[in-house]
DNA sequence: CTTCTCACG
DNA sequence: ACGTACGTGAGAAGG
């Protein structure tokens, strides 16, 4: 508890500086995107309007449900309508209806365009005096110890993984992180922890398989796949690796067979039952029993104490574990499995922030920490400080905590936030 | 004030 | 029998 308190107290000054310094936005690119998105939106509204009658509101889930399953006669793919008598019209459900009606892709695209337009609006909140965007970092804003960011939230800027120059919308989406730029003559130095939550799991579980994989710097997901499927490392297919990856990340949240089955269906393109998913999960825990034990001990601990605890002793009460409703207790168990992992990752990056800030001060550098995004730190530095900063950031992040496995950071330098990812 | 939807790690 | 992966913020709609 004291360690957490001391850390948070030192961090206050670092956070204050981040908020005060702010970050440059490329207004020209932002405005360009906005114009293009607005015309896209209007085209889509036009196309959608050919299917509607009367005063239809596309943003109303009630109106949309009525249009799709009433006027247009689409058959819902699920049995039950929700409490308000409407069928769900979220992306997952709409995707299942694309075969049934030509309007579906228009709606999905319209939603995407609207979401991106909201980001444009958020990025217009630059301060007229500094000409920079100043977010608020809520230092103790979450139950796990992570930061949250608001007004505007800079922790949920689009970050598309795939690229396709022919897909205009995907291209625009990729331009949002290009809008974040260093000041004239400076550079961004961006560092993110590689698989920090899985490394923390390796540390807590002391699972020999995980420890060895990280010690030898191996491809963990591929290695996991070779274990689950009982095949040689070199014979693992991309699909098997993707499934293993899905389990590796899912285990941190207490994922169940019912959650894994849709993942399997998505990855393979064939339908998979939860029984199949359960077999894969069983195979996983059979090969990594220490992970299973670790997750169970997280639950037992939280059950006995009434709270979960992180590396630094940060506590989170979990009253759900005492509920007399099974579903709430199950939810409590998942929280108890996840909190020590997610919360420890938060402890570590917070320690790294203080260390980096101290080191910059000590070396008399001009570089500034601008953003913190869960497992990533973004700095702005004069070109002359590039090499020293790259070394300083890596050193201080990788040595922020001493775990049984090495912490590893991926680091890039560049001229906008997209470039350093 | 809550629900839905959608963006991020 | 229950519901099924954790943690956030924002805007629109609906009650």
């Amino acid at each position: 508890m004291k360690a957490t308190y001391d850390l948070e107290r030192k961090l206050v000054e670092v956070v204050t500086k981040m908020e005060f310094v702010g970050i440059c936005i490329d207004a020209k690119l932002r405005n360009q995107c906005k114009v293009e998105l607005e015309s896209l939106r209007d085209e889509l509204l036009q196309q959608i309007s050919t299917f509607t009658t009367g005063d239809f509101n596309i943003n109303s889930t009630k109106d949309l449900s009525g249009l799709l399953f009433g006027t247009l006669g689409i058959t819902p793919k699920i049995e039950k309508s929700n409490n308000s008598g409407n069928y769900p019209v979220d992306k997952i459900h709409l995707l299942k209806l694309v075969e049934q009606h030509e309007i579906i892709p228009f709606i999905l695209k319209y939603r995407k365009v609207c979401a991106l337009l909201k980001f444009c609006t958020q990025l217009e909140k630059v301060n007229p005096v500094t000409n920079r965007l100043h977010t608020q970092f809520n230092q103790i804003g979450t139950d796990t110890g992570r930061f949250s960011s608001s007004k505007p939230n800079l922790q949920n800027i689009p970050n598309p993984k795939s690229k396709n120059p022919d897909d205009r919308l995907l291209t625009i989406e990729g331009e949002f992180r290009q809008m974040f730029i260093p000041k004239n003559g400076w550079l961004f130095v961006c560092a993110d922890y590689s698989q920090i939550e899985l490394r923390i799991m390796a540390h807590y579980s002391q699972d020999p398989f995980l420890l060895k994989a990280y010690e030898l710097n191996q491809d963990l997901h591929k290695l996991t796949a070779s274990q689950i499927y009982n095949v040689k490392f070199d014979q693992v297919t991309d699909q098997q690796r993707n499934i293993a990856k899905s389990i590796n990340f899912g285990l941190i949240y207490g994922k169940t067979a019912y959650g894994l089955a849709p993942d399997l269906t998505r990855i393979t393109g064939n339908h998979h039952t939860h029984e199949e998913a359960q077999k894969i999960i069983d195979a996983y825990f059979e090969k990594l029993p220490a992970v299973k034990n670790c997750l169970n001990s997280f639950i037992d601990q939280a059950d006995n104490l009434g709270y979960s605890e992180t590396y630094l002793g940060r506590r989170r009460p979990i009253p759900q574990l005492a509920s007399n409703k099974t579903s709430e207790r199950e939810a409590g168990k998942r929280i108890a499995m996840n909190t020590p992992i997610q919360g420890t990752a938060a402890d570590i990056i917070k320690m790294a922030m203080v260390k980096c800030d101290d080191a910059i001060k000590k070396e008399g550098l001009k570089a500034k920490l601008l953003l913190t995004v869960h497992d990533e730190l973004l700095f702005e530095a004069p070109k002359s400080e590039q090499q020293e900063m790259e070394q300083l950031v890596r050193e201080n992040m990788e040595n922020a905590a001493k775990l049984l496995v090495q912490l590893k950071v991926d680091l890039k330098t560049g001229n906008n936030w997209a470039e350093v990812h």
Side-chain angles (χ1 to χ4, degrees):
Chain A
M1 277 303 248
K2 174 114 185 357
T4 309
Y5 174 78
D6 289 344
L7 171 64
E8 295 294 353
R9 208 178 45 180
K10 284 187 236 161
L11 194 58
V12 169
E13 183 196 318
V14 182
V15 174
T16 308
K17 280 195 281 186
M18 278 197 295
E19 293 187 355
F20 184 74
V21 172
I23 190 165
C24 271
I25 297 296
D26 182 341
K28 201 176 149 196
L29 181 58
R30 181 198 61 207
N31 296 340
Q32 215 175 292
C33 286
K34 190 181 182 187
V35 168
E36 200 167 339
L37 287 166
E38 278 169 344
S39 91
L40 261 172
R41 179 194 57 192
D42 294 343
E43 272 174 43
L44 288 162
L45 278 175
Q46 194 68 40
Q47 279 154 326
I48 291 168
S49 72
T50 62
F51 300 98
T52 65
T53 49
D55 54 346
F56 171 77
N57 182 353
I58 177 76
N59 297 319
S60 159
T61 49
K62 187 166 159 274
D63 282 14
L64 185 58
S65 175
L67 175 75
L68 299 181
F69 307 112
T71 317
L72 299 181
I74 297 175
T75 321
K77 287 270 166 119
I78 62 162
E79 306 274 321
K80 271 193 296 192
S81 59
N82 65 15
N83 1 350
S84 43
N86 299 313
Y87 290 98
V89 288
D90 59 298
K91 195 164 147 193
I92 300 202
H93 290 90
L94 287 186
L95 279 173
K96 293 177 183 170
L97 307 172
V98 277
E99 300 300 319
Q100 284 198 62
H101 205 285
E102 57 195 297
I103 194 178
I104 304 292
F106 291 133
I107 293 167
L108 290 168
K109 199 167 169 191
Y110 168 82
R111 289 228 182 112
K112 184 90 192 170
V113 169
C114 285
L116 294 182
L117 270 169
K118 280 173 191 158
F119 282 111
C120 286
T121 311
Q122 290 303 309
L123 296 189
E124 281 167 1
K125 298 183 174 174
V126 280
N127 182 297
V129 176
T130 64
N131 227 352
R132 292 165 75 100
L133 194 58
H134 301 262
T135 186
Q136 287 180 18
F137 284 110
N138 196 347
Q139 199 180 325
I140 46 168
T142 68
D143 292 341
T144 54
R146 274 188 176 182
F147 278 99
S148 74
S149 157
S150 59
K151 295 190 273 182
N153 180 358
L154 295 188
Q155 292 184 323
N156 72 340
I157 303 300
N159 189 16
K161 304 268 175 284
S162 60
K163 271 189 190 166
N164 178 0
D166 297 332
D167 186 337
R168 193 65 200 118
L169 204 48
L170 194 59
T171 305
I172 297 175
E173 198 182 1
E175 282 171 348
F176 277 84
R177 281 183 191 234
Q178 289 176 32
M179 296 174 195
F180 291 76
I181 52 176
K183 72 164 137 182
N184 264 336
W186 289 40
L187 291 163
F188 275 162
V189 175
C190 185
D192 66 280
Y193 281 111
S194 164
Q195 299 185 349
I196 188 167
E197 296 192 337
L198 284 171
R199 283 171 198 267
I200 291 167
M201 174 53 86
H203 170 82
Y204 277 126
S205 68
Q206 298 188 37
D207 187 283
F209 174 81
L210 290 180
L211 290 176
K212 190 170 158 231
Y214 282 124
E215 195 186 328
L216 303 178
N217 209 8
Q218 285 165 320
D219 181 337
L220 179 79
H221 303 314
K222 196 166 170 183
L223 209 56
T224 306
S226 80
Q227 290 285 310
I228 304 178
Y229 291 102
N230 261 321
V231 295
K232 293 216 174 78
F233 183 79
D234 295 323
Q235 290 169 343
V236 172
T237 64
D238 284 356
Q239 201 171 80
Q240 288 170 331
R241 185 184 181 279
N242 280 335
I243 291 168
K245 186 177 173 183
S246 169
I247 299 183
N248 275 330
F249 285 120
L251 76 94
I252 294 167
Y253 311 120
K255 192 171 197 161
T256 64
Y258 284 81
L260 182 62
D263 284 7
L264 296 177
T265 302
R266 181 177 48 75
I267 292 169
T268 65
N270 302 315
H271 183 259
H272 292 270
T273 63
H274 67 89
E275 283 89 355
E276 279 176 80
Q278 189 60 53
K279 274 185 191 157
I280 297 177
I281 292 176
D282 291 343
Y284 180 95
F285 284 124
E286 199 179 309
K287 298 286 175 149
L288 292 89
V291 171
K292 180 91 188 160
N293 284 337
C294 178
L295 290 170
N296 284 335
S297 74
F298 283 156
I299 296 171
D300 288 344
Q301 238 172 53
D303 234 338
N304 294 330
L305 300 172
Y307 56 83
S308 283
E309 207 168 35
T310 68
Y311 182 76
L312 283 192
R314 187 191 304 274
R315 292 176 185 177
R316 175 187 185 174
I318 309 182
Q320 293 94 320
L321 287 172
S323 168
N324 48 19
K325 279 191 191 163
T326 309
S327 60
E328 275 182 25
R329 279 202 308 280
E330 292 298 321
K333 287 182 190 173
R334 292 194 295 272
I335 293 169
M337 289 187 265
N338 176 256
T339 298
I341 307 279
Q342 194 185 121
T344 294
D347 289 348
I348 291 173
I349 199 163
K350 283 180 164 179
M351 290 190 279
M353 288 166 71
V354 171
K355 282 181 72 121
C356 286
D357 187 69
D358 281 347
I360 287 169
K361 255 188 276 182
K362 191 175 153 222
E363 299 300 322
L365 299 175
K366 292 192 179 121
K368 302 259 188 309
L369 176 57
L370 303 185
L371 299 179
T372 175
V373 191
H374 311 309
D375 63 357
E376 165 189 348
L377 298 178
L378 181 70
F379 296 85
E380 180 176 64
K383 284 184 177 143
S384 60
E385 294 179 6
Q386 176 182 345
Q387 286 191 343
E388 196 176 349
M389 272 302 284
E390 286 177 354
Q391 204 187 335
L392 179 154
V393 170
R394 184 182 293 282
E395 291 273 299
N396 283 286
M397 284 179 76
E398 290 188 344
N399 296 305
K402 282 273 169 275
L403 302 187
L404 294 175
V405 289
Q406 282 263 302
L407 293 173
K408 192 183 152 206
V409 308
D410 295 322
L411 190 146
K412 278 190 188 167
T413 302
N415 291 302
N416 63 58
W417 199 9
E419 225 176 80
V420 292
H421 260 273

